[in-house]
Amino acid sequence: TRDRKKKMTNDTTTINPLLLGIKQTYGQTLLTKIQTSTRILLVGAGGIGCELLKNLALCGFTQIEIIDLDTIDVSNLNRQFLFRSHHVGMSKCSVASQVSLNMLPSGGKQGRYEAHLGNVLDTTRFTVPYIKSFDLVLNALDNIPARRRVNRLCLAAGTPLVEAGTTGYLGQVTVIDKASNVECYECKAKPTQKVYPICTIRSTPSQPVHTIVWAKELWKLLFGSKVEDSMLFEDDDIGKEEENVIIF
């Protein structure tokens, strides 16, 4: 018992406390793999993506690539905590990768987080061989076409996919692994999307329905009784309010 306590004491003095639980639960071999060779692709750097990046960084994952086509909007700041008001207008993947890299136990000195500003539907950049280079793919998307595309890429590449995303106010998560013969994202028909993220409408509309929603919100902004009811409304005091927030 005394030797065991001594060993545990030595562990706590030689390893970052954030990683100690991983080592004691899963062993040093897996922890070393996490810290040195495991490659992860994250698709989407929004609400879910920010949470995933934070968790991955704190767990010691050092090799991550992030794909996202959006820029940071004021409406993102209340829930996508990696972003601040001075980041508005910048690409989500670039800011998220840099901020989360600094969350690594090493302070970012031993990690490589690479950002790819682009659409995962781009068949010239994001291909099956590209997906094969990763040990795991994480989806953090808010639209069905992109989720279908990543699902098909991972099935073709044989790379496990943790499919997490939102459709309106509904969230879903499931593990898709071709080798395990489990249900994939497209095995069941998905309902037509009727609710759209504010940042998509304001910054990256890509479908005719997006412009219709934008026009409806513009009508509220120009002729509505309360401009705050429009998703196009911007609060000029957002930056002033943030100055009074203490970040630990």
Side-chain angles (χ1 to χ4, degrees):
T1 303
R2 183 177 301 174
D3 291 340
R4 183 179 178 185
K5 288 182 178 180
K6 183 178 180 180
K7 183 179 184 301
M8 291 181 65
T9 302
N10 290 336
D11 283 344
T12 59
T13 57
T14 59
I15 189 172
N16 188 292
L18 294 173
L19 305 179
L20 182 60
I22 296 177
K23 178 180 178 180
Q24 293 181 339
T25 304
Y26 300 106
Q28 181 62 48
T29 301
L30 180 58
L31 179 59
T32 300
K33 185 176 180 180
I34 287 174
Q35 293 179 303
T36 58
S37 62
T38 301
R39 284 175 46 79
I40 293 180
L41 174 64
L42 173 65
V43 187
I48 297 176
C50 285
E51 288 285 349
L52 289 175
L53 274 173
K54 177 259 294 181
N55 292 336
L56 290 169
L58 294 179
C59 287
F61 287 91
T62 58
Q63 307 295 322
I64 300 177
E65 296 189 22
I66 305 104
I67 301 173
D68 198 290
L69 58 77
D70 280 344
T71 55
I72 299 166
D73 188 86
V74 172
S75 63
N76 302 143
L77 302 181
N78 68 330
R79 65 192 186 283
Q80 299 174 19
F81 61 91
L82 297 182
F83 310 139
R84 298 292 181 264
S85 59
H86 61 275
H87 292 140
V88 171
M90 301 171 65
S91 71
K92 286 185 177 181
C93 57
S94 297
V95 174
S97 62
Q98 184 57 55
V99 174
S100 57
L101 180 65
N102 293 331
M103 292 182 175
L104 279 168
S106 66
K109 297 177 182 179
Q110 299 175 354
R112 178 178 174 271
Y113 286 14
E114 183 176 352
H116 299 282
L117 178 60
N119 193 332
V120 74
L121 298 176
D122 185 348
T123 57
T124 62
R125 295 180 62 188
F126 308 116
T127 61
V128 172
Y130 175 72
I131 297 297
K132 279 186 177 180
S133 67
F134 295 95
D135 297 291
L136 179 68
V137 177
L138 303 176
N139 254 2
L141 294 165
D142 57 15
N143 72 90
I144 292 176
R147 296 169 76 175
R148 287 174 175 163
R149 169 67 177 168
V150 177
N151 174 67
R152 295 179 185 184
L153 283 172
C154 289
L155 289 176
T159 302
L161 166 66
V162 177
E163 212 298 314
T166 59
T167 303
Y169 294 107
L170 301 177
Q172 311 86 25
V173 60
T174 186
V175 177
I176 299 170
D177 182 23
K178 184 178 180 180
S180 301
N181 198 31
V182 296
E183 180 182 279
C184 77
Y185 181 72
E186 295 182 83
C187 286
K188 290 184 179 179
K190 300 297 185 294
T192 302
Q193 188 172 355
K194 296 181 180 179
V195 181
Y196 303 93
I198 294 175
C199 53
T200 299
I201 300 302
R202 294 174 58 158
S203 303
T204 56
S206 59
Q207 302 175 30
V209 67
H210 293 162
T211 62
I212 296 173
V213 175
W214 186 89
K216 291 174 65 176
E217 296 303 319
L218 180 62
W219 177 271
K220 294 179 186 178
L221 184 66
L222 295 177
F223 306 109
S225 58
K226 293 178 63 179
V227 295
E228 295 87 353
D229 290 339
S230 171
M231 64 172 63
L232 301 181
F233 172 73
E234 293 188 9
D235 189 349
D236 293 333
D237 295 330
I238 185 68
K240 298 176 182 178
E241 293 176 359
E242 189 184 53
E243 290 177 359
N244 297 323
V245 177
I246 299 175
I247 303 174
F248 294 94

